[in-house]
Amino acid sequence: MSWQPDPNALNQLLDALSKTSHPDNAIQQQVQQFLAKFSNDPQYARYLALIFSTPSIPVEVRRIAGLLVKTVISNVAQYQRIPPDSVQFIKESVFVCIDDVVNISIQKTAGIILTTLVSVDVRHAPNVLQMLAQKVEGGNPIIAEAAFGAISIVCEDSANSLHENAPQLLNEMIPFFISKFDNPSAKIRSYAIASTNQFAISHSDALIAHLKMYVQALYRRATDPDREVIKNVCQGLVLVLEIRPDELQAEMTALIQFMLKCTESEDATVALEACEFWLSFAEQDNLMDHLEPYLNELVRVLLKGMVYSENDLMNMGPDVEDSHIADRAEDIKPRFHKAKSHATDLSDEQKKQLKEQQKAAGGGDDDDDDDDDDDDDDDDASNEWTLRKCSAAALDVLSNVYMDGILEPFLPLLKQFLSSPDWKYREAGVLALGAISEGCNNGIEPHLRDLVKFLTTCLTDTKPLVRSITCWTLSRYSRWIVYGPEQSQPEPNHQEIYFQPVLQGLLIMILDNSKRVQEAGCSALATLEEEAQEALTPFLPHILNTLSNAFQKYQHKNLLILYDAVGTLADSVGAALNNPAFIPVLLGPLVEKWKVIENDDREIFPLLECLSSVAIALGPGFAQMSPPVWERCLVIVQNNLQRQLMYKAALAENAYADEPDMDFVIVALDLLSGVVQGLGESALNLVASSNPPIMDVVEFCMRDDSADVRQSAYALLGDLIISTFAVVKPRLDSIFPLIIHQIGRREEMFEMSVCNNATWATGELALQLGPEASRFIQPLLPVLVTIVNAGNADRRIRTLQENAAITLGRFGMVCPTEMAPAMQHFAYGWCAALRDVRDNAEKETAFKGMCLMVQANPQGMLQTIAFFCDAIVRWLRPSISMNDMFKQTLTGYRNGLGQAQWEQLTSGFPEQTREKLRQRYEL
């Protein structure tokens, strides 16, 4: 017997739906209570579908019923309670509503329900897509457009699911979609292309199988009069360029001309889709020759695209002095803390690679938005991807491909833009100059004397948007501003002419009355600080006074950037901040913020991060503030660890509890590290009297489920070992098994940064233990040897390999006799890991340890002596004691082998290596 609704229940539901917009709040509450109760009925969605599909019911009531059907289906728990026959009834009812050519709102709602049904349960896809396809073929253009509109949303929402679970269906549907690229209806053409594009995004096998047909159909639509169709054609061609560029190569000239035309389209959405083509094109090395004849035109088009449109300016809001206006809650991004990671002293290129490694590994400095500021013009508050931003990004990547070759068309256009009376063109010129800074570094250098002076004057422009983008562009040339040209001699008074005026200008920008300019000025100062380092020292009074005044002026959003600028200053100038005149100016504003922020407020994150850098820089100057900071950090850690235990207990009992935010633990642990690092050995009294005992906290956190918590715990452990080893030593038997286990987890990507910190801490432990470290060699050696011998094809592991090699060297330094027999098993990997590390104290202890191992077991290095010598001569400025040890070790080899055999052995060395051995060590 077919289902029959209960007339009483149906009437009550109709009455409730008719009152959902009633102005009386009491009636609305009654309606919500009734619907909540009715929703427990397994037939609830069926009643709603019946109402939705009944033409005699008022349209608005039907529409509300349809939206409630969608809500029920999208709730997985509610959907699973719907009987199968009711699901079929809902589909049939909704299919009928697609045919409602009178009530477009009902048609649209029907499409939404069907797309939701497929996204929740992909098993409905064959029935839904085939039924909709039949309606497209049915002859009624209004129904056909509505049906294909629903198909396009299904494809957008469920492309990946269809690719994985319904490949046969896609083999049928994709040719159907492509066949409609030439449909008389512009809407259907647009829907058909957009639907097919979704499967290019998901790299569907079915799309690849029909790729030639797809590409040819896209080409046919290149002259389509409809802008929406052209936009989707551009998107499709960009996707083909990404997945199978060879399919486009035969028509590349025509394609480039088409995309140039579309990038200049008056329709912003078409222009933006077309502009994406140049970003993708820059990744295709084998196609770049095709683009070279069009570089002049492309540079012109991209520069034009960088000019603010009226729509851009409208979306950004008024470009006015607004520092007195309160921040809106939606403008404030959530703040996440980055766990502390220990790395050896790296070159700039190695630091860049480390960031990439950490992002790939999901640890360390990933999510570091501040680091990304240099790669994008972050001059407006909108996160919307616009033609302006895409054009700037395209010019950036193309300048990295063609490098100085792009300057011939670029420089004359730049001159026109920078000299324009229209501020929007001047602003775009400044943006473009920043965009090419990396790729055209050499070619633009001869022009920087004039350009930097010009940019400095732009800091006084009346338009805040010009001032803000100027800050960003100046930051892109920080290295030249501080040190001068790399290709020629700088002017004798270079810093006086360029660095000082830029620094002065940025400090003025920090106190600007536009919040947008404040943000840009602060970010640019942080970048300049990283480059200038000790060159900032003479200007510290002015810098600190400016930053102190900014704390009084800034509102919430810009405070985050201000904390970063203060922390970066501390990292850059270090102990120079430990001046009695500077300390109150620096700490005063931080103490005021410290007093008013609660322990459970996420606003405390940037403050504690900043204080960590300040504590390290001030050293003994931070002593007075250390006890309250230490105590508060322990309270934060303890409170959140207790919440975590309560949360786990609740889960075990299937009860509800709020999950704690472990970022509070991480940021507090990192500040404890900063205090210990800053105070050094004088931290012992503070650490020893810690309540709870600090090693209880560290060991507990070393066992935590969160990799980020463990990462910070091992960083703190390492700092405690260095400065307050007496507190750590009694706990070695309980923590060393944890260390071994952690280092052994390096195969897990998200563990990489934790393993790195654990390995570094173990090397520090060896130095403190001296010969007593021998008892830990047997369990530790196999783990470290595996790491250094892993090869460096995977860049994520390089920093870990460097720390593992340093730790092996340090154990060799304190226990050479015990380590030497195993040396042959790791000598090559050890040399490879440390050959390119910048000269520093950590590297020196490792090499001294290796020299002692070699002296104890010369045969252990003999097979890799060429690599050992290569690693030695790569030192730029070894200390006297290090150089003497190298000479002693190598001379010992020569004497042991005899001059003839030594010369035979070294004859295969590169000439540069042999020459340096002769010069430095008379070998």
Side-chain angles (χ1 to χ4, degrees), residues 793-818:
D794 187 346
R795 295 194 330 204
R796 295 168 303 176
I797 200 174
R798 281 188 198 161
T799 302
L800 177 58
Q801 286 180 313
E802 289 164 7
N803 272 313
I806 287 170
T807 297
L808 284 168
R810 287 177 161 185
F811 271 87
M813 186 176 177
V814 297
C815 305
T817 305
E818 292 86 346

mmCIF file of all heavy atoms in Angstrom, residues 793-818:
data_model
loop_
_atom_site.group_PDB
_atom_site.id
_atom_site.type_symbol
_atom_site.label_atom_id
_atom_site.label_comp_id
_atom_site.label_asym_id
_atom_site.label_seq_id
_atom_site.Cartn_x
_atom_site.Cartn_y
_atom_site.Cartn_z
ATOM 1 N N ALA A 793 67.676 13.358 -1.202
ATOM 2 C CA ALA A 793 66.728 13.608 -2.289
ATOM 3 C C ALA A 793 65.471 14.267 -1.741
ATOM 4 O O ALA A 793 64.849 15.103 -2.379
ATOM 5 C CB ALA A 793 66.380 12.294 -2.980
ATOM 6 N N ASP A 794 65.112 13.873 -0.529
ATOM 7 C CA ASP A 794 63.955 14.476 0.122
ATOM 8 C C ASP A 794 64.447 15.657 0.942
ATOM 9 O O ASP A 794 65.096 15.502 1.968
ATOM 10 C CB ASP A 794 63.274 13.445 1.028
ATOM 11 C CG ASP A 794 61.978 13.965 1.607
ATOM 12 O OD1 ASP A 794 61.742 15.186 1.527
ATOM 13 O OD2 ASP A 794 61.212 13.157 2.142
ATOM 14 N N ARG A 795 64.141 16.880 0.489
ATOM 15 C CA ARG A 795 64.688 18.073 1.124
ATOM 16 C C ARG A 795 64.183 18.264 2.542
ATOM 17 O O ARG A 795 64.776 18.993 3.318
ATOM 18 C CB ARG A 795 64.354 19.309 0.276
ATOM 19 C CG ARG A 795 65.018 19.259 -1.062
ATOM 20 C CD ARG A 795 65.000 20.556 -1.796
ATOM 21 N NE ARG A 795 63.880 21.415 -1.538
ATOM 22 C CZ ARG A 795 63.460 22.332 -2.385
ATOM 23 N NH1 ARG A 795 64.052 22.456 -3.541
ATOM 24 N NH2 ARG A 795 62.462 23.122 -2.095
ATOM 25 N N ARG A 796 63.067 17.603 2.863
ATOM 26 C CA ARG A 796 62.516 17.787 4.205
ATOM 27 C C ARG A 796 63.462 17.282 5.285
ATOM 28 O O ARG A 796 63.388 17.699 6.427
ATOM 29 C CB ARG A 796 61.177 17.039 4.330
ATOM 30 C CG ARG A 796 60.082 17.565 3.439
ATOM 31 C CD ARG A 796 58.919 16.609 3.408
ATOM 32 N NE ARG A 796 59.346 15.291 2.962
ATOM 33 C CZ ARG A 796 58.557 14.235 2.908
ATOM 34 N NH1 ARG A 796 57.302 14.347 3.254
ATOM 35 N NH2 ARG A 796 59.006 13.065 2.502
ATOM 36 N N ILE A 797 64.348 16.360 4.915
ATOM 37 C CA ILE A 797 65.165 15.703 5.934
ATOM 38 C C ILE A 797 66.533 16.363 6.104
ATOM 39 O O ILE A 797 67.280 16.018 7.015
ATOM 40 C CB ILE A 797 65.329 14.197 5.584
ATOM 41 C CG1 ILE A 797 65.737 13.392 6.819
ATOM 42 C CG2 ILE A 797 66.305 14.005 4.455
ATOM 43 C CD1 ILE A 797 65.784 11.902 6.577
ATOM 44 N N ARG A 798 66.871 17.347 5.263
ATOM 45 C CA ARG A 798 68.240 17.882 5.308
ATOM 46 C C ARG A 798 68.599 18.478 6.660
ATOM 47 O O ARG A 798 69.684 18.226 7.183
ATOM 48 C CB ARG A 798 68.425 18.937 4.215
ATOM 49 C CG ARG A 798 68.648 18.346 2.848
ATOM 50 C CD ARG A 798 69.020 19.411 1.854
ATOM 51 N NE ARG A 798 68.822 18.909 0.502
ATOM 52 C CZ ARG A 798 68.717 19.685 -0.548
ATOM 53 N NH1 ARG A 798 68.780 20.994 -0.411
ATOM 54 N NH2 ARG A 798 68.547 19.176 -1.748
ATOM 55 N N THR A 799 67.715 19.299 7.199
ATOM 56 C CA THR A 799 68.018 19.914 8.489
ATOM 57 C C THR A 799 68.159 18.857 9.572
ATOM 58 O O THR A 799 69.042 18.946 10.444
ATOM 59 C CB THR A 799 66.922 20.919 8.867
ATOM 60 O OG1 THR A 799 66.823 21.902 7.842
ATOM 61 C CG2 THR A 799 67.241 21.617 10.187
ATOM 62 N N LEU A 800 67.306 17.833 9.534
ATOM 63 C CA LEU A 800 67.428 16.733 10.491
ATOM 64 C C LEU A 800 68.760 16.012 10.306
ATOM 65 O O LEU A 800 69.426 15.662 11.295
ATOM 66 C CB LEU A 800 66.255 15.764 10.307
ATOM 67 C CG LEU A 800 66.267 14.512 11.195
ATOM 68 C CD1 LEU A 800 66.290 14.895 12.671
ATOM 69 C CD2 LEU A 800 65.052 13.637 10.886
ATOM 70 N N GLN A 801 69.180 15.810 9.064
ATOM 71 C CA GLN A 801 70.472 15.161 8.821
ATOM 72 C C GLN A 801 71.624 15.997 9.377
ATOM 73 O O GLN A 801 72.578 15.450 9.938
ATOM 74 C CB GLN A 801 70.666 14.937 7.319
ATOM 75 C CG GLN A 801 69.813 13.820 6.759
ATOM 76 C CD GLN A 801 70.038 13.633 5.275
ATOM 77 O OE1 GLN A 801 70.037 14.601 4.520
ATOM 78 N NE2 GLN A 801 70.253 12.400 4.851
ATOM 79 N N GLU A 802 71.533 17.308 9.207
ATOM 80 C CA GLU A 802 72.589 18.170 9.736
ATOM 81 C C GLU A 802 72.673 18.043 11.254
ATOM 82 O O GLU A 802 73.766 17.914 11.821
ATOM 83 C CB GLU A 802 72.314 19.614 9.334
ATOM 84 C CG GLU A 802 72.523 19.876 7.850
ATOM 85 C CD GLU A 802 71.896 21.171 7.383
ATOM 86 O OE1 GLU A 802 71.417 21.939 8.240
ATOM 87 O OE2 GLU A 802 71.869 21.418 6.161
ATOM 88 N N ASN A 803 71.523 18.081 11.931
ATOM 89 C CA ASN A 803 71.548 17.951 13.387
ATOM 90 C C ASN A 803 71.984 16.560 13.825
ATOM 91 O O ASN A 803 72.667 16.405 14.843
ATOM 92 C CB ASN A 803 70.164 18.286 13.955
ATOM 93 C CG ASN A 803 69.996 19.768 14.230
ATOM 94 O OD1 ASN A 803 70.861 20.397 14.821
ATOM 95 N ND2 ASN A 803 68.899 20.338 13.776
ATOM 96 N N ALA A 804 71.598 15.524 13.061
ATOM 97 C CA ALA A 804 72.042 14.174 13.394
ATOM 98 C C ALA A 804 73.559 14.053 13.239
ATOM 99 O O ALA A 804 74.241 13.433 14.075
ATOM 100 C CB ALA A 804 71.334 13.155 12.499
ATOM 101 N N ALA A 805 74.101 14.656 12.178
ATOM 102 C CA ALA A 805 75.546 14.614 11.970
ATOM 103 C C ALA A 805 76.277 15.371 13.072
ATOM 104 O O ALA A 805 77.324 14.926 13.569
ATOM 105 C CB ALA A 805 75.888 15.204 10.600
ATOM 106 N N ILE A 806 75.752 16.526 13.474
ATOM 107 C CA ILE A 806 76.365 17.291 14.561
ATOM 108 C C ILE A 806 76.331 16.483 15.853
ATOM 109 O O ILE A 806 77.308 16.442 16.616
ATOM 110 C CB ILE A 806 75.652 18.645 14.728
ATOM 111 C CG1 ILE A 806 76.033 19.578 13.563
ATOM 112 C CG2 ILE A 806 76.005 19.307 16.064
ATOM 113 C CD1 ILE A 806 75.221 20.846 13.495
ATOM 114 N N THR A 807 75.217 15.805 16.104
ATOM 115 C CA THR A 807 75.104 15.005 17.326
ATOM 116 C C THR A 807 76.089 13.835 17.307
ATOM 117 O O THR A 807 76.744 13.530 18.321
ATOM 118 C CB THR A 807 73.659 14.503 17.488
ATOM 119 O OG1 THR A 807 72.803 15.643 17.631
ATOM 120 C CG2 THR A 807 73.505 13.608 18.708
ATOM 121 N N LEU A 808 76.242 13.168 16.159
ATOM 122 C CA LEU A 808 77.248 12.109 16.048
ATOM 123 C C LEU A 808 78.643 12.668 16.319
ATOM 124 O O LEU A 808 79.452 12.048 17.034
ATOM 125 C CB LEU A 808 77.205 11.490 14.647
ATOM 126 C CG LEU A 808 76.060 10.523 14.354
ATOM 127 C CD1 LEU A 808 75.982 10.218 12.870
ATOM 128 C CD2 LEU A 808 76.214 9.234 15.163
ATOM 129 N N GLY A 809 78.941 13.836 15.757
ATOM 130 C CA GLY A 809 80.251 14.452 15.994
ATOM 131 C C GLY A 809 80.462 14.803 17.448
ATOM 132 O O GLY A 809 81.570 14.652 17.981
ATOM 133 N N ARG A 810 79.418 15.269 18.106
ATOM 134 C CA ARG A 810 79.552 15.645 19.517
ATOM 135 C C ARG A 810 79.757 14.422 20.405
ATOM 136 O O ARG A 810 80.539 14.480 21.367
ATOM 137 C CB ARG A 810 78.311 16.437 19.954
ATOM 138 C CG ARG A 810 78.315 17.837 19.365
ATOM 139 C CD ARG A 810 77.084 18.627 19.714
ATOM 140 N NE ARG A 810 77.335 20.055 19.522
ATOM 141 C CZ ARG A 810 76.483 21.017 19.834
ATOM 142 N NH1 ARG A 810 75.306 20.709 20.353
ATOM 143 N NH2 ARG A 810 76.805 22.286 19.643
ATOM 144 N N PHE A 811 79.082 13.318 20.097
ATOM 145 C CA PHE A 811 79.367 12.086 20.844
ATOM 146 C C PHE A 811 80.799 11.634 20.573
ATOM 147 O O PHE A 811 81.482 11.115 21.464
ATOM 148 C CB PHE A 811 78.359 10.988 20.476
ATOM 149 C CG PHE A 811 77.123 10.991 21.327
ATOM 150 C CD1 PHE A 811 76.042 11.789 20.996
ATOM 151 C CD2 PHE A 811 77.040 10.219 22.477
ATOM 152 C CE1 PHE A 811 74.896 11.822 21.775
ATOM 153 C CE2 PHE A 811 75.908 10.238 23.269
ATOM 154 C CZ PHE A 811 74.828 11.037 22.933
ATOM 155 N N GLY A 812 81.259 11.831 19.329
ATOM 156 C CA GLY A 812 82.649 11.512 19.025
ATOM 157 C C GLY A 812 83.622 12.406 19.761
ATOM 158 O O GLY A 812 84.727 11.986 20.120
ATOM 159 N N MET A 813 83.223 13.629 20.038
ATOM 160 C CA MET A 813 84.089 14.571 20.736
ATOM 161 C C MET A 813 84.298 14.150 22.191
ATOM 162 O O MET A 813 85.398 14.305 22.740
ATOM 163 C CB MET A 813 83.463 15.963 20.669
ATOM 164 C CG MET A 813 84.331 17.072 21.229
ATOM 165 S SD MET A 813 83.541 18.675 20.984
ATOM 166 C CE MET A 813 84.724 19.750 21.802
ATOM 167 N N VAL A 814 83.234 13.606 22.818
ATOM 168 C CA VAL A 814 83.344 13.253 24.243
ATOM 169 C C VAL A 814 83.669 11.778 24.454
ATOM 170 O O VAL A 814 84.167 11.395 25.514
ATOM 171 C CB VAL A 814 82.048 13.632 25.008
ATOM 172 C CG1 VAL A 814 81.844 15.141 24.964
ATOM 173 C CG2 VAL A 814 80.819 12.934 24.445
ATOM 174 N N CYS A 815 83.368 10.942 23.439
ATOM 175 C CA CYS A 815 83.644 9.503 23.554
ATOM 176 C C CYS A 815 84.272 8.989 22.254
ATOM 177 O O CYS A 815 83.712 8.106 21.581
ATOM 178 C CB CYS A 815 82.355 8.722 23.836
ATOM 179 S SG CYS A 815 81.418 9.266 25.270
ATOM 180 N N PRO A 816 85.401 9.516 21.830
ATOM 181 C CA PRO A 816 85.943 9.145 20.516
ATOM 182 C C PRO A 816 86.270 7.669 20.396
ATOM 183 O O PRO A 816 86.055 7.066 19.338
ATOM 184 C CB PRO A 816 87.197 10.020 20.392
ATOM 185 C CG PRO A 816 87.556 10.401 21.795
ATOM 186 C CD PRO A 816 86.269 10.478 22.535
ATOM 187 N N THR A 817 86.784 7.077 21.444
ATOM 188 C CA THR A 817 87.179 5.665 21.374
ATOM 189 C C THR A 817 85.967 4.771 21.159
ATOM 190 O O THR A 817 86.014 3.811 20.380
ATOM 191 C CB THR A 817 87.902 5.257 22.670
ATOM 192 O OG1 THR A 817 89.006 6.144 22.889
ATOM 193 C CG2 THR A 817 88.418 3.826 22.566
ATOM 194 N N GLU A 818 84.864 5.080 21.839
ATOM 195 C CA GLU A 818 83.657 4.261 21.717
ATOM 196 C C GLU A 818 82.963 4.470 20.368
ATOM 197 O O GLU A 818 82.337 3.571 19.830
ATOM 198 C CB GLU A 818 82.673 4.592 22.846
ATOM 199 C CG GLU A 818 83.144 4.180 24.226
ATOM 200 C CD GLU A 818 84.023 5.240 24.896
ATOM 201 O OE1 GLU A 818 84.480 6.171 24.186
ATOM 202 O OE2 GLU A 818 84.258 5.129 26.107
#
